[in-house]
Amino acid sequence: MPPASYMRQVEDIRNIADGTLIRRTGQGTDQQALFRGADGDGIFVAHAIDLDKCTYEAESAVMKLREGDVIYRYAHRFTDSPARVKAEQVLGEWSLYRKSPALQAQMSAFTRALYAAEQVLDMKRDDTLRQLFVPLQMKFKIGKFMEKTDGARAWVELLNAQLSTLEKGDHLTYIALIPQQSSHNPCIYSAGTMPHQETHKRLDGEEFRFKPTHGGHIKCVSITDSVKTFLVDAGSNYVGRGVKTPFSYADAVVKALYRLDLGHTYIPVEGRGAFGTEQSY
């Protein structure tokens, strides 16, 4: 594959910064992912995509380099590219994007992290947008990759997909039903970064709707060996006490998150400590 004008060949993988979007080609291979480190002839990556097969391969993987492989990086981050607006329009016009409002923020974040804006425009020109749209369907289990699941687990799968796409510094807003009796299951729902009142409206349109007792923010503060740590507050003004929310409210949400067994670490904080006071939700 000849490199595009917006791709730069990497001569020494030791010079690649953590989190850089890289592309590996050679011997019928065409893959890209976020660089996480290197060891010998292997590259540690996150969110591996096989562009040749149009598949989302794994949340974390090791690329074993072979003779003839070439590693590239992209000249621009998606958000810094002059092609950003047009590329975002391509995603926004996709029918499954429009039909998945609760996942739109996460799908946008995934696209910005795993693709170059110029690359998305090339896909549209070459009629190869399946290299973007199929991995998105696989990652978020929508379209033809939607799993048959009962309503009681649907929101759990949605929340897990949303948390898995958050990078350090990213957050989402949530509303939750935290029952007083431990024998009853908690429910937690998010529509990305939408205000809590709008999130509640979205929830009312779902099959698994519930009446929320808590609301707040979940923010990713670190990622170590693919294990994410989140700050969790219950500081919603809409369904809560805002900055006056006591620690115990957030602690109840954290205990509910651990019951879901999604494989992350959660730290409760009082008030609106996971996000700040600059916005009133």
Side-chain angles (χ1 to χ4, degrees):
M1 180 207 74
S5 60
Y6 47 85
M7 296 167 61
R8 304 289 183 265
Q9 184 171 343
V10 175
E11 300 296 339
D12 189 342
I13 60 176
R14 294 173 298 181
N15 294 330
I16 305 176
D18 182 44
T20 298
L21 177 60
I22 62 171
R23 187 164 174 176
R24 169 201 183 193
T25 66
Q27 301 185 30
T29 298
D30 193 359
Q31 302 169 325
Q32 64 188 40
L34 297 179
F35 180 84
R36 290 303 189 200
D39 181 14
D41 61 349
I43 298 178
F44 303 105
V45 299
H47 300 298
I49 293 171
D50 191 311
L51 294 170
D52 185 53
K53 298 177 181 177
C54 300
T55 54
Y56 177 77
E57 295 293 297
E59 288 192 8
S60 60
V62 179
M63 289 183 177
K64 290 293 185 179
L65 298 182
R66 301 169 299 186
E67 184 176 354
D69 282 352
V70 181
I71 302 296
Y72 297 94
R73 63 175 180 83
Y74 288 91
H76 304 285
R77 291 173 58 89
F78 191 106
T79 52
D80 298 330
S81 171
R84 173 181 59 85
V85 174
K86 290 184 178 179
E88 289 175 339
Q89 290 175 347
V90 172
L91 177 62
E93 293 168 357
W94 183 38
S95 60
L96 286 181
Y97 180 88
R98 297 196 303 269
K99 292 177 181 179
S100 308
L103 287 173
Q104 286 176 358
Q106 283 66 45
M107 286 194 284
S108 294
F110 182 85
T111 302
R112 290 193 297 266
L114 273 298
Y115 294 84
E118 296 88 349
Q119 180 185 20
V120 172
L121 297 185
D122 280 355
M123 290 176 181
K124 181 178 181 181
R125 181 198 64 200
D126 299 336
D127 195 25
T128 57
L129 279 170
R130 60 186 178 278
Q131 293 179 331
L132 168 63
F133 293 157
V134 175
L136 277 170
Q137 291 180 69
M138 295 177 71
K139 171 62 180 174
F140 295 101
K141 297 181 174 61
I142 58 176
K144 64 180 180 180
F145 294 96
M146 182 180 294
E147 292 183 342
K148 299 296 183 181
T149 181
D150 60 82
R153 289 293 300 177
W155 65 266
V156 179
E157 300 296 337
L158 172 61
L159 181 64
N160 190 32
Q162 292 170 323
L163 292 176
S164 71
T165 63
L166 295 186
E167 295 294 327
K168 183 177 179 180
D170 293 341
H171 83 283
L172 54 78
T173 59
Y174 74 88
I175 54 177
L177 168 62
I178 308 298
Q180 294 183 350
Q181 296 179 336
S182 60
S183 58
H184 295 173
N185 292 326
C187 300
I188 304 173
Y189 176 77
S190 173
T193 58
M194 289 188 173
H196 294 98
Q197 187 171 7
E198 181 62 29
T199 300
H200 197 178
K201 291 179 181 178
R202 295 293 180 91
L203 173 63
D204 284 343
E206 302 282 3
E207 295 181 0
F208 46 86
R209 65 183 67 88
F210 56 83
K211 183 177 181 180
T213 57
H214 293 63
H217 312 84
I218 302 175
K219 181 177 181 179
C220 181
V221 293
S222 70
I223 303 174
T224 304
D225 296 331
S226 299
V227 176
K228 297 184 178 182
T229 298
F230 298 97
L231 292 183
V232 180
D233 72 41
S236 167
N237 285 333
Y238 174 68
V239 55
R241 297 169 60 183
V243 295
K244 297 181 180 180
T245 303
F247 175 86
S248 60
Y249 282 51
D251 189 51
V253 176
V254 164
K255 289 177 180 177
L257 285 165
Y258 276 121
R259 286 181 62 184
L260 302 183
D261 193 24
L262 301 180
H264 305 299
T265 298
Y266 309 95
I267 301 173
V269 290
E270 64 182 6
R272 202 176 289 134
F275 185 62
T277 61
E278 62 270 25
Q279 295 192 36
S280 178
Y281 286 150

